[in-house]
Amino acid sequence: MAKILIVEDDANNRELIARIVELMGHEPILAVDGAQGVALARSMQPDLIIMDMGLPVLNGWQATHRIKSQPTTRHIPVLALTAYALHEDRLRSLAAGCDDFETKPIDFGRFREKVQALLSRTA
């Protein structure tokens, strides 16, 4: 069972993603903004982070950059999950340090595949 940090400000999306993660047999950890996501990444050391990009306090790009800039958290893979679906948004997410990119609305099959692929890279 992997610990997966879900950083999502929308309660409905957060609950949906948490349920998917649980159905996959993993433990969800929930954060409601980028600052809380950075703090939980440090303290909980999750196996994967699912990061919304349009977040309050610190946006997803800023939070990912902070996570990937710190020696204690840079190894944690980050999957950007966002409604920002343009090619430039993908490039910006990857430049901030995200390891992969997925758009909303969620394609459940593709989402599960990306989560499993990122978890297998760290196993």
Side-chain angles (χ1 to χ4, degrees), residues 9 15 23 26 29 34 37 41 62 65 92 98 101 104 118:
D9 61 325
E15 181 63 28
L23 287 171
H26 304 300
I29 302 164
Q62 294 166 323
H65 178 74
R92 184 177 177 201
C98 293
F101 181 88
K104 296 175 188 173
L118 289 169

Side-chain angles (χ1 to χ4, degrees), residues 68-81:
K68 292 296 190 166
S69 296
Q70 303 207 2
T72 58
T73 53
R74 73 171 49 132
H75 67 281
I76 304 169
V78 177
L79 172 61
L81 182 63

Side-chain angles (χ1 to χ4, degrees), residues 3-68:
K3 293 185 296 186
I4 300 179
L5 174 57
I6 301 162
V7 188
E8 171 64 62
D9 61 325
D10 181 270
N12 291 328
N13 287 339
R14 197 169 49 248
E15 181 63 28
L16 173 65
I17 299 163
R19 286 186 183 181
I20 295 168
V21 163
E22 287 174 336
L23 287 171
M24 293 175 69
H26 304 300
E27 175 189 352
I29 302 164
L30 306 178
V32 299
D33 61 49
Q36 187 180 33
V38 171
L40 285 172
R42 287 182 195 145
S43 65
M44 298 295 293
Q45 290 292 303
D47 300 292
L48 173 66
I49 300 169
I50 299 169
M51 181 74 70
D52 183 25
M53 294 291 117
L55 294 167
V57 185
L58 287 176
N59 66 41
W61 297 284
Q62 294 166 323
T64 299
H65 178 74
R66 289 187 186 188
I67 289 166
K68 292 296 190 166

